[in-house]
Amino acid sequence: MKVLIVEDEQPAFGNLAEELHVIDEKIDVVAGCGSVEETIRWLNDNPQPDLILMDVQLSDGLSFSIFKTCKITCPVIFTTAYNKYLTEAFQFSSIDYLLKPISQDRLSNAIQKYKTLRNHFVGSYDPSDSSSPYPHNPLPEFIGRHDRKRSRILVRKGAEFQTVRIEDAGYFFTEHKLIFLVDKENRKYMAEKSNLSELEEELDKNLFYRANRKYIINANYIKRFKPLEKSKISVELTLPVNEEIIISQENSASFKKWIGES
């Protein structure tokens, strides 16, 4: 398991590297980067690690800016002394958010979470197997694999993570640049995705339909729909929604075709 540590304080880097080795002696800390610029250079010149431990505040700015330059396809555990970056952190590839000072138990739990999610999504995948189609990405399900559609999705409720079966997702919606999932029990979760377009590509198009810029809906949770003026369509779900879901005139024909084939 190859880990990149992004941390601008040398003592903190040393402590993390030592604690990781205590937690699992097979963990290989492949590098340590102390700035945004250094991390970008490293990511451009090296294969993606299996996991990144990334401090939010670096010597030359916030580490979130790294994602604007580099396509990071592996999961990230953010570390910081402040909780004010929590919401922003989970817009990226984050699977956990550790507040400093980081206890060994908290770090161990985060590493175990990574391993559990890896095993859950890829089963018997062996990251040391050079014949694997994902030699540097043990969590291909997290980054939008296109050879098969999702069966589960990673979500967050408060500070905790869990997975939801994709067929149990009544609908997805975006609000304040975040993506939310509402399940069959009308429970709301923050989905670990950056935008609806990315999510749409990973969903079974026989089951899910992009109703408009804000909503993706599940065919199994459509209660009824009715025509509106100018050939628009209003869709009512079996789950409560805070606003009317409108299909545009341009998409009304494709929606009718889709619902008839779903």
Side-chain angles (χ1 to χ4, degrees):
M1 175 179 166
K2 299 183 183 301
V3 176
L4 168 66
I5 297 178
V6 180
E7 170 59 66
D8 62 347
E9 296 181 1
Q10 191 59 37
F13 168 80
N15 289 337
L16 277 175
E18 183 177 346
E19 293 291 353
L20 287 172
H21 186 72
V22 171
I23 291 168
D24 185 346
E25 61 183 14
K26 294 181 180 179
I27 291 177
D28 178 17
V29 177
V30 293
C33 299
S35 67
V36 170
E37 183 180 354
E38 184 181 0
T39 305
I40 291 173
R41 284 201 308 268
W42 192 93
L43 290 170
N44 287 334
D45 294 340
N46 295 275
Q48 293 272 324
D50 297 322
L51 177 67
I52 300 176
L53 285 173
M54 182 178 288
D55 190 9
V56 174
Q57 292 184 308
L58 299 175
S59 58
D60 55 349
L62 297 181
S63 60
F64 300 140
S65 61
I66 296 169
F67 294 81
K68 298 177 182 178
T69 303
C70 301
K71 183 178 181 181
I72 297 179
T73 59
C74 65
V76 176
I77 296 173
F78 283 103
T79 64
T80 179
Y82 307 95
N83 59 16
K84 63 181 179 180
Y85 301 111
L86 179 62
T87 300
E88 190 172 359
F90 285 107
Q91 296 182 43
F92 301 101
S93 304
S94 176
I95 63 169
D96 213 334
Y97 187 92
L98 304 182
L99 288 174
K100 298 179 179 180
I102 302 169
S103 68
Q104 186 182 63
D105 286 345
R106 190 71 182 88
L107 180 61
S108 179
N109 288 340
I111 297 300
Q112 185 57 49
K113 179 187 294 183
Y114 161 80
K115 292 180 178 179
T116 299
L117 291 170
R118 176 192 63 189
N119 294 336
H120 175 79
F121 280 107
V122 298
S124 59
Y125 167 76
D126 181 0
S128 65
D129 182 1
S130 61
S131 66
S132 167
Y134 305 101
H136 300 296
N137 181 18
L139 291 172
E141 190 73 54
F142 281 176
I143 63 167
R145 156 174 95 182
H146 297 291
D147 56 332
R148 63 189 178 112
K149 299 303 181 181
R150 282 184 173 274
S151 61
R152 293 180 178 271
I153 187 167
L154 182 68
V155 298
R156 181 166 66 90
K157 186 75 170 179
E160 298 298 323
F161 285 87
Q162 64 185 79
T163 58
V164 174
R165 293 191 310 170
I166 207 67
E167 63 266 29
D168 291 339
Y171 64 96
F172 298 89
F173 71 98
T174 181
E175 187 174 71
H176 304 305
K177 297 183 179 181
L178 299 174
I179 306 301
F180 296 94
L181 176 158
V182 177
D183 73 3
K184 62 181 181 180
E185 303 296 335
N186 197 35
R187 293 173 296 205
K188 178 181 172 182
Y189 304 93
M190 183 185 296
E192 188 72 0
K193 303 305 299 179
S194 59
N195 58 70
L196 280 185
S197 296
E198 177 187 350
L199 175 62
E200 182 184 10
E201 290 300 314
E202 301 176 20
L203 298 174
D204 184 349
K205 288 180 171 54
N206 292 318
L207 188 61
F208 290 92
Y209 184 82
R210 178 72 178 271
N212 51 44
R213 295 175 63 184
K214 187 170 182 178
Y215 288 93
I216 295 177
I217 55 178
N218 185 333
N220 294 329
Y221 295 87
I222 294 177
K223 184 177 182 179
R224 62 173 69 92
F225 61 92
K226 62 182 179 181
L228 300 176
E229 60 179 6
K230 298 182 179 180
S231 301
K232 295 179 182 179
I233 294 174
S234 173
V235 179
E236 182 182 350
L237 303 183
T238 58
L239 295 165
V241 183
N242 291 333
E243 61 187 314
E244 191 174 18
I245 299 176
I246 303 295
I247 309 292
S248 69
Q249 178 182 0
E250 292 76 15
N251 293 328
S252 60
S254 68
F255 171 76
K256 290 176 182 177
K257 181 180 180 182
W258 170 77
I259 194 66
E261 296 175 350
S262 298

